[in-house]
Each structure stands twice: as structure tokens, then as C-alpha cells.
Amino acid sequence: MPPRPTVLTIVILITIAVILLLRPYSATLNGYSSYYRDAFGPGRSLRTWLADEEAHYAVAIQERLELIKKWGPRDDAVDPYPTHGEFYTIWDFFVPAFQCPHRVQRVGTLGDGGKWVCGLDRVVKQDKCVIYSFGINGESSFESTLLKRAPGCEAWGYDYSVNSWGPEITGDPEVRDRAHFRPFALGGTNNHEDHDNPKYWTLDSLMDLNGHTFIDILKIDIEGGEFDALTAFLSTHAAAEGDVLPVGQLQLEIHAREGHENFEYFARWWAALEAAGLRPFWTEPNLVYINLVRGVRPELAEYSFINIRGNHALVNEAFN
């Protein structure tokens, strides 16, 4: 009669079995697997990954067109927030169908204020990097965490509704010397003469003011101003043949309300983001807003985009 296995042996065998069962799924669990860091699989380069994801993203665009045909049948006839039993909202047409080829992680506080970032491990390896943040509102955990992780980074923050960064930066000598703040507003045109209040700057003008040619991480949360501001930014760089959008990734809260919820307008604006090389890899609804203002439509959503063009840290095959 063979010996009976001990309890410890059983526990070890069960643990091994669970690990083996879960391994095939680890790559899909919220982007946290090491699969996303640099291991693209045998013979699969970063360039191949990006090309494959572009093919998948093209399928998502086709599915969007089919959904518009179903509920429109044209984009000017789609109700962004239907109330007659239709099973969709505007956000269902614009899904984050592109997978970032690096680890995706949430940076900053849980709840309102934190953002999802792609490939931070690559960004922080650079000797220097540039962070722009529009919309501070007294909470700077996102920017503070980035600066702590990346000693070579500096951050430029803008918000005309407050006078400084939040306490996460102003109260921390480790990072505050690398964080620069001005009470400016981001807009689609420049209106920053002495008599202008608030003073509006375009993104390109601020980059010129600061002597920057590239932004590694761009965060925008400006209560609907993102539409005009990004339209101007995209138009400037689309006008020059061969120009590449000078941004590595974009963390953006979109406010589809007060005229910007018009589906035809929104779809054209979103298509301009795509045409510039921006691909959404993450989204989450702003449920804090829904909870605070009960009974409202789901008008706010957080999106994160990777720029698939250029030669920056997230898409450079030779980056080490």
C-alpha cells in the first residue's frame, strides 16, 4: 500500500497546479503581467507588436462604423445618451482597442486624480523627461508620483483656478524644485495679454515658451476645454508634411457635455486624434462624478493614449 501524502505535500501540489492553470491568463489581467514589459514572444519585436495592434485597431474602427449604421444610420443621427431603451452610450463607440506593449499601471491616488500610464519603466530610464499637466485643482498625486519615480523628469503645471500645485508637491522638497507652476489656461488660441484674465495659451506656445520640443507625458483635465485645445494642437502639426505629434502619451479626461456631446462633432474630433497617431489603450468612466451629481448622464470618461509614431521611448525598438 503506497504511503499517504502529507497535508504539506497536498498543499504544494495544489499550489503548483493553480500556478500552471493561471499562467496562460496572466497576460490579460489588467495589463500588470510582465508579458507587457519587454517580452513580446519568440521572434516578436516591438515593431511587430505595434503593427499587429494597428491591425486589431482597424477592426475596432470598422465595428464603430457598423454600430453607427445600426443606431444612426449616419453619425449625425446617433443619440449620444439614448433614453428609449437603446443599449449603448457614446463611449461604446470609442473603445481602447489598442494594447500598450509595455506595463500599464495606475499612477497617483486611487479615485479621482490618478491616471493610467503606459511604459513608465521606460520613461523613468531617460536622463531627462518632460511632463505637462493641465488642470491641477489642488490635487497633485499623479505628478508627484511621476517625479519621485523619475529623478530626471521635470513637470510643468497649469491651472488658472488655483495658485499652486497641490500639497503632494508643495509640501515635498524631494520634488517641488522640479515642478513649475503658472496660473494659465490651455486653449485653442493665444489670449495672454496683460488685460486678459484668465490668460489662454496654446500648447505649442507653451512649449515654445519653455524651450521644449517633446512632451513625454501629457495630462489634460480642463472641463471641456480639451476639444478646442487639442484641435489647435493637432492642426498645427498636421499642417506640416511628415510632422509627428511631439507627445509620447496622453492622459485625458473627456467631458462629452455642453455641446461637445454632439455625436457627429465628437466622432470627427476623435478621428483627428487617431489621424495624428494617438491610440487609446485604457479607459474608465468617472464614477465619482456620477456619484456626486446623481441622476446625470455618464458625460465624463478618462482615456489614456499612446502615440504610435515618432522615435520616443515607448515605440523605439532600440531603447534600453
Side-chain angles (χ1 to χ4, degrees), residues 33 39 53 90 108 147 149 157 165 177 199 208 252 277 304:
S33 170
E53 286 305 309
I90 189 172
L147 291 174
R149 288 282 307 276
W165 292 101
D177 290 341
K199 300 184 187 307
D208 289 341
L252 175 67
S304 294

Side-chain angles (χ1 to χ4, degrees), residues 157-170:
Y158 300 94
D159 190 331
Y160 69 89
S161 69
V162 296
N163 297 317
S164 69
W165 292 101
E168 298 85 359
I169 286 180
T170 58

Side-chain angles (χ1 to χ4, degrees), residues 64-136:
R64 180 194 309 161
L65 297 176
E66 293 172 0
L67 195 62
I68 291 173
K69 185 176 180 180
K70 176 180 179 180
W71 295 111
R74 302 177 312 277
D75 54 6
D76 61 351
V78 176
D79 185 349
Y81 305 109
T83 57
H84 299 92
E86 300 91 337
F87 293 97
Y88 73 88
T89 70
I90 189 172
W91 309 114
D92 293 300
F93 294 80
F94 306 98
V95 295
F98 196 96
Q99 290 193 40
C100 166
H102 315 290
R103 183 184 179 193
V104 175
Q105 61 190 109
R106 188 177 175 87
V107 176
T109 184
L110 297 178
D112 196 42
K115 308 293 179 183
W116 290 93
V117 175
C118 165
L120 183 57
D121 292 342
R122 283 192 161 214
V123 174
V124 302
K125 289 180 181 178
Q126 301 176 114
D127 293 334
K128 293 183 179 180
C129 78
V130 172
I131 301 163
Y132 273 40
S133 179
F134 295 93
I136 308 302

Side-chain angles (χ1 to χ4, degrees), residues 120-268:
L120 183 57
D121 292 342
R122 283 192 161 214
V123 174
V124 302
K125 289 180 181 178
Q126 301 176 114
D127 293 334
K128 293 183 179 180
C129 78
V130 172
I131 301 163
Y132 273 40
S133 179
F134 295 93
I136 308 302
N137 195 28
E139 206 287 323
S140 300
S141 62
F142 173 70
E143 298 85 359
S144 174
T145 303
L146 289 174
L147 291 174
K148 287 182 177 179
R149 288 282 307 276
C153 287
E154 293 189 53
W156 280 259
Y158 300 94
D159 190 331
Y160 69 89
S161 69
V162 296
N163 297 317
S164 69
W165 292 101
E168 298 85 359
I169 286 180
T170 58
D172 189 344
E174 179 185 351
V175 299
R176 65 187 176 204
D177 290 341
R178 291 184 285 124
H180 318 281
F181 176 86
R182 297 298 296 271
F184 297 159
L186 180 65
T189 57
N190 286 305
N191 294 287
H192 47 74
E193 302 299 327
D194 291 341
H195 61 275
D196 292 324
N197 186 28
K199 300 184 187 307
Y200 280 87
W201 292 70
T202 65
L203 183 51
D204 280 300
S205 294
L206 286 172
M207 292 178 69
D208 289 341
L209 177 69
N210 297 324
H212 295 144
T213 59
F214 188 81
I215 301 171
D216 292 275
I217 297 177
L218 171 61
K219 187 209 87 174
I220 299 178
D221 182 358
I222 54 175
E223 306 305 313
E226 64 271 11
F227 292 94
D228 288 344
L230 285 173
T231 295
F233 186 54
L234 299 177
S235 298
T236 299
H237 294 278
E241 185 176 354
D243 196 1
V244 175
L245 203 65
V247 172
Q249 62 183 296
L250 167 65
Q251 282 69 39
L252 175 67
E253 181 165 69
I254 303 177
H255 305 74
R257 62 185 183 191
E258 299 170 1
H260 297 130
E261 80 278 13
N262 176 280
F263 188 89
E264 183 181 19
Y265 168 86
F266 190 100
R268 288 201 309 269

